[in-house]
Amino acid sequence: MLSTAPIPRLSVLEKTRELFQERRRLVSYSKPLTIRSSSSVQEIKKPSVSSGSSDDRRELPSSWDSIALPPVQAAKRVVLVRHGQSTWNAEGRIQGSSDFSVLTNKGESQAETSRQMLLDDSFDVCFSSPLIRSKRTAEIIWGSRKEEIITVSDLREIDLYSFQGLLKNEGKVRYGAAYRQWQKDAPNFNIDDHYPVRELWARARGCWSKILTHKSRSILVVAHNAVNQALVATAIGLGTEYFRVLLQSNCGVSVLDFTPKPEGGSPHICLNRLNQTPSSPIAGGNSGGRKTSTRVILVCHGLPLNEAEEGSSFSGNSPMNMLGIIQAQKTAELLLDIKVNSIVSSSSIASVETANSICRVQEAAYCLGAADCVPRYVEKKQIVDLDIGNILVQTKKTDSTRFQSLDSGWLNGLDEEITTALWDQSGKAWKFLLNELQKGSDSENIVVAVGHPALHISIMGHCLNLTKEWLGSFHLDAGSISVVDFPDGATGRGVVRCINYTAHLGRWSIPITRSTVGDEEF
């Protein structure tokens, strides 16, 4: 076990303070900045972050809204990857921006699995944190690609000062109330006269300026848990209160799409997927270090027959085509790792067929290898609030050609009336799912909801306590799953384990990136 003597931690503290000189240079604004909020565009005063006294540092904003990002001339896709398991991860030691840990054998294996997952994907450039565990992960994933990996200091992990190097139980003993605040109220957590989470959000904003102004269109970024959370959150406009809400597992992959606006300015931003992991996203019982068996799993139904044949994204009530049947079966097999308590679906044929596939596998799996076993019962329900066919048919009548391929951020183009109807109905569906979740025991209850991608995108917005203006900030594909954990029980705050996970589909999974040759759009 590594030593916890104060000398190594002091050297790390000196190192991180030196690195902060560069941070202070990056976050300096001279005039009010336009931000995108959940309801409107407004003006805010400049954040006061200077190279002066510690009092200046305290003026960092407690909630970081989406300050306008640099405009892009063509569509860009940014793929974020967290490093593999490190020695300090395995020991339960607080790493922060220290640089004493390396990848474990498991971490190397995770990085290799991610390399295989991204092997056929097209990347123009790779940015990496300068810390050893991240650089090694980047080297494994980047493989034989010829382009040089670019290290960026601001992509290092969150600076935790005196906490760095401590085992978690040591942090509890030595720092008491401060450690509890770090666990329960991280945005306001203060240590050594610093607010680490607020500083991290400011640093992530500086990273986006560097990443988006690079000429490349398909970009790989390999960094860390907290900084990747901050990158996702600042891109789509979420403040520091979302720290630890958007999970980043070892070697988990998240994808952000940036699309230029016709009028210029800050681009459209869409979280295409969150935390696609080398292993099953539902097999583990931990969520951000806390054990949980209470969760909602959002399953997008398999592809309906007419969507593949006609190219329409708004099927009325069609059965699944062959690909949809495969997607449903693959999802059912993935869910074998857990015990589902209830399955809720819309009444559309594709949703019911997908729900039936999951139910059959769940009930039969109970008796695998056992003689004279009575299959267990999984409750199935159909509710009207998951049916949105009538809402989407209105869009089909008005402009069906605009959304034929369910492109990233396609919900941005919906009419206001349709967006409102979708948002209101999904809110009712989310309340129903939360009520279902509370019917189980405090320690374990898993509810599966099957429906259309548009509905689940909207449900995700309600889960994150957003507004309908955020609908275009998320994307889901047919056959995907998204998982929301409740580590504090059904009445606690949800933690998003993954969004738009498709790796379980195997050869039918959705590619992380696409070719950027010529003028091809993502």
Side-chain angles (χ1 to χ4, degrees), residues 78-97:
V78 179
V79 177
L80 306 175
V81 183
R82 182 190 174 188
H83 64 77
Q85 185 195 61
S86 71
T87 49
W88 282 20
N89 286 151
E91 292 174 13
R93 197 174 292 278
I94 301 172
Q95 295 186 107
S97 57

Side-chain angles (χ1 to χ4, degrees), residues 37-200:
S37 72
S38 60
S39 58
S40 64
V41 175
Q42 53 184 292
E43 297 289 313
I44 61 171
K45 295 181 180 180
K46 65 180 181 179
S48 178
V49 185
S50 72
S51 58
S53 67
S54 58
D55 290 334
D56 290 326
R57 288 196 297 272
R58 290 196 190 98
E59 296 179 23
L60 280 163
S62 60
S63 179
W64 192 270
D65 292 290
S66 182
I67 297 174
L69 295 178
V72 297
Q73 301 304 313
K76 288 178 180 282
R77 173 162 286 186
V78 179
V79 177
L80 306 175
V81 183
R82 182 190 174 188
H83 64 77
Q85 185 195 61
S86 71
T87 49
W88 282 20
N89 286 151
E91 292 174 13
R93 197 174 292 278
I94 301 172
Q95 295 186 107
S97 57
S98 64
D99 203 12
F100 297 113
S101 66
V102 298
L103 294 188
T104 62
N105 290 337
K106 180 179 179 180
E108 296 260 347
S109 177
Q110 289 171 331
E112 174 59 25
T113 301
S114 292
R115 186 187 74 83
Q116 294 289 340
M117 188 167 65
L118 300 171
L119 190 62
D120 296 327
D121 289 302
S122 172
F123 293 109
D124 302 321
V125 67
C126 176
F127 291 95
S128 171
S129 158
L131 304 184
I132 294 172
R133 56 193 184 272
S134 178
K135 285 177 65 178
R136 177 57 184 154
T137 302
E139 290 168 357
I140 294 173
I141 295 175
W142 201 238
S144 60
R145 293 179 174 93
K146 296 179 181 179
E147 293 79 8
E148 184 179 357
I149 297 173
I150 302 173
T151 58
V152 179
S153 173
D154 278 350
L155 286 174
R156 69 188 184 277
E157 184 56 300
I158 185 172
D159 298 306
L160 289 176
Y161 307 99
S162 293
F163 269 19
Q164 295 180 172
L166 294 174
L167 292 169
K168 293 177 182 177
N169 60 351
E170 291 177 334
K172 295 177 184 177
V173 173
R174 295 190 188 185
Y175 289 92
Y179 187 84
R180 287 192 294 273
Q181 187 179 40
W182 165 238
Q183 294 295 311
K184 300 294 185 180
D185 186 23
N188 295 312
F189 165 65
N190 180 292
I191 187 170
D192 297 336
D193 207 24
H194 290 271
Y195 289 89
V197 176
R198 300 184 198 177
E199 292 174 347
L200 179 67

Side-chain angles (χ1 to χ4, degrees), residues 341 435-445:
N341 294 75
N435 289 333
E436 284 291 296
L437 208 60
Q438 294 177 43
K439 292 179 180 179
S441 65
D442 291 337
S443 60
E444 180 177 358
N445 190 22

